[in-house]
Every structure is written in structure tokens, then in C-alpha cells.
């Protein structure tokens, strides 16, 4: 996957596409959180997709990013970000960096982002793009995200972007009291998007709808 500076002339008006996406695919379908909508208006999705997919950068569907992985559908990312109820003060753990697109949105919406992916090439690529865009509140790690990132726990929010058979216990342990975890739980083909709120040792679980994510790998995956 190669990237080029966003200043390169293009036949596409990506900014107009981005505004259309926010209105039609997000706001019109019920995304209300103004900070979430603002973040989507700001982050250029075209920088996170391979060159051959760039004309589809604002299509409301997942796009291939190599290594059998995909950048998630914008609407699904918006639903997850809204469910996290971010105020800007949170320390967030993201499992499944992928292209880094959702990482950028999180960096706009929260104080600090800790992101983990199991594929080193994807982490390298995302790190490069996000550094180039000027983000300084993101830390990257290559590893099995099911183990979380114990050295930096607890996290106010945890977002998982790969399908889990069950929520890995290290993630439950690393969620702060009063914290929220969002992610897809189910089988390989289809999952429930689940929101978990922690109060002491009680985890309140709320289903937000059906979804289909690529599988989590590793010890806690498929
Ligand atoms: N949010 C991403 C999409 C992620 S796709 C984006 O916006 O582009 C799911 C990602 O989860 C893939 O990059 C995959 O490599 C990663 N993944 C799968 N199993 C993992 C694991 N056990 N730990 C960390 N990352 C994992």
C-alpha cells in the first residue's frame, strides 16, 4: 500500500465526498453526536485506503487494505464511536489498528489512544500515515490485542474492531471502573455489536445491533 500527499491534484473532490458521506451515510441514518460527526468531516479516509481503492474511499462499505483485512464501513465506525460516549478526556485502547482510520478518529475524540494490531505491516503503515498527519497522542503496538496492553491499563474506553467469540478476560480486567467497551461478539459469520459498561465488578451488557467483522486472531480469537 503506497500513500501520497493529500496535496496531489486529483480528479476527485474528496472534501465534497466527505461532506456527502457525513450527511447521507451518518447523520441521515441516526448518528447524532456532534463531536463524532465533526471528526468524520476532518479525517481524510482516502489517505487510509490503497491507491486502487481511493475512488471508493467514501463508499459506505468496508474496503480491502491488504493482508486479508478491511477498513470498516464508516457507518459502523460511527455507531461504535458514538457508543463510546467520548468527551475528549479519555484514555482509549483500540484493538485492530488496521488502516489507522478509526485510530485517527479516536485521536480527534479522546485524549490518548493506545492501538494494537497483530499484523506488523499494518501497524507500520498506520504509524507512518498518522505521524505524517501530525497526530501525537497515539501509541502503537504489534501483538495479540486479546491480551490488551497491561502496562498502560486501566483504560476509560476499549474498542475492538475484530469479531470475538467472547470478550477476552484481559480486556475486562483492563477496563476502568465506569468505563465502556464496544465490540463485535458472536460467531465467524455474524456478531452482535455489544456495549459493556463497568461498575465495580459488574459488567452491564447491551446489544446494539447485528454486524459482520473480520475475525480476531490469536489466543482469544477464532
Ligand atoms: N479499524 C480498522 C479496521 C480493522 S480490521 C480500520 O479502520 O481500518 C480488523 C483488524 O484487526 C485487522 O487489521 C487485523 O489485523 C486485526 N486483528 C485481528 N486479530 C487481532 C488480534 N488478536 N490482536 C490485534 N489485532 C488483531
Amino acid at each position: 500500500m503506497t500513500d501520497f500527499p493529500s496535496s496531489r491534484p486529483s480528479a476527485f473532490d474528496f472534501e465534497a465526498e466527505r461532506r456527502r458521506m457525513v450527511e447521507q451515510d451518518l447523520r441521515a441514518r441516526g448518528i447524532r453526536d456532534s463531536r463524532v460527526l465533526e471528526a468524520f468531516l476532518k479525517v481524510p479516509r482516502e489517505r487510509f485506503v490503497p491507491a486502487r481503492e481511493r475512488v471508493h474511499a467514501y463508499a459506505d462499505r468496508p474496503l480491502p487494505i491488504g493482508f486479508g483485512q478491511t477498513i470498516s464501513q464508516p457507518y459502523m465506525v460511527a455507531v461504535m464511536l458514538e457508543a463510546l460516549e467520548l468527551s475528549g478526556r479519555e484514555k482509549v485502547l483500540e484493538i485492530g489498528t488496521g488502516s489507522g482510520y478509526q485510530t485517527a478518529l479516536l485521536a480527534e475524540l479522546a485524549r490518548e489512544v493506545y492501538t494494537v494490531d497483530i499484523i506488523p505491516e499494518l501497524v507500520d503503515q498506520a504509524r507512518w500515515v498518522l505521524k505524517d498527519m501530525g497526530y501525537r497522542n497515539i501509541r502503537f503496538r504489534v501483538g495479540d490485542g486479546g491480551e490488551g496492553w497491561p502496562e498502560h491499563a486501566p483504560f476509560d474506553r476499549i474498542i475492538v474492531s475484530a469479531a470475538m467469540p467472547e470478550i477476552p478476560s484481559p480486556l475486562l480486567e483492563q477496563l476502568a471502573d465506569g468505563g465502556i467497551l464496544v465490540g463485535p461478539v458472536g460467531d465467524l459469520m455474524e456478531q452482535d455489536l455489544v456495549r459493556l459498561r463497568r461498575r465495580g465488578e459488574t459488567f452491564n451488557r447491551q446489544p446494539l445491533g447485528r454486524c459482520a467483522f473480520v475475525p480476531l486472531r490469536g489466543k482469544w480469537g477464532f
Side-chain angles (χ1 to χ4, degrees):
M1 178 160 61
T2 52
D3 196 78
F4 54 66
S6 49
S7 56
R8 177 166 160 164
S10 161
F12 263 76
D13 187 348
F14 284 121
E15 211 177 310
E17 284 281 289
R18 190 149 62 241
R19 282 196 298 270
R20 186 208 51 75
M21 174 188 78
V22 168
E23 290 309 317
Q24 286 179 19
D25 301 330
L26 307 185
R27 202 193 300 272
R29 289 167 72 188
I31 304 298
R32 289 281 171 268
D33 186 326
S34 58
R35 293 185 71 244
V36 170
L37 294 168
E38 282 299 318
F40 273 91
L41 277 177
K42 191 165 170 193
V43 177
R45 195 170 190 248
E46 67 274 15
R47 292 216 54 189
F48 297 90
V49 303
R52 67 182 175 283
E53 296 292 339
R54 207 149 278 156
V55 292
H56 307 298
Y58 291 95
D60 194 44
R61 58 179 172 87
L63 298 171
I65 54 172
F67 307 95
Q69 305 304 317
T70 54
I71 177 172
S72 308
Q73 175 197 18
Y75 175 70
M76 185 54 63
V77 176
V79 167
M80 292 174 84
L81 293 175
E82 191 167 61
L84 284 179
E85 300 176 1
L86 293 162
S87 72
R89 292 185 291 272
E90 298 81 4
K91 180 171 157 186
V92 182
L93 175 66
E94 177 188 49
I95 311 303
T97 316
S99 66
Y101 176 61
Q102 180 178 277
T103 318
L105 293 162
L106 285 167
E108 295 286 344
L109 291 165
R111 180 167 53 88
E112 284 182 282
V113 184
Y114 291 81
T115 187
V116 185
D117 204 289
I118 206 163
I119 301 180
E121 291 87 345
L122 288 176
V123 175
D124 285 346
Q125 174 71 23
R127 184 187 273 127
W128 192 88
V129 177
L130 292 164
K131 286 245 161 78
D132 189 58
M133 290 174 71
Y135 289 107
R136 303 186 65 114
N137 58 341
I138 305 170
R139 296 236 223 157
F140 301 83
R141 174 181 176 160
V142 177
D144 186 348
E147 303 289 344
W149 196 336
E151 294 83 354
H152 292 288
F155 298 97
D156 304 309
R157 302 289 187 267
I158 299 179
I159 181 166
V160 186
S161 300
M164 309 167 269
E166 252 316 314
I167 299 170
S169 57
L171 299 186
L172 298 177
E173 286 158 20
Q174 292 171 36
L175 185 63
D177 194 4
I180 300 175
L181 178 152
V182 173
V185 182
D187 57 42
L188 267 175
M189 295 305 292
E190 238 196 334
Q191 307 90 35
D192 277 323
L193 185 66
V194 164
R195 168 161 61 186
L196 216 69
R197 282 178 201 272
R198 179 174 195 168
R199 297 263 179 254
E201 290 313 303
T202 308
F203 293 87
N204 188 315
R205 185 170 168 147
Q206 180 189 7
L208 302 176
R210 298 293 283 170
C211 57
F213 279 78
V214 297
L216 188 78
R217 306 190 193 173
K219 180 176 166 191
W220 302 92
F222 289 95

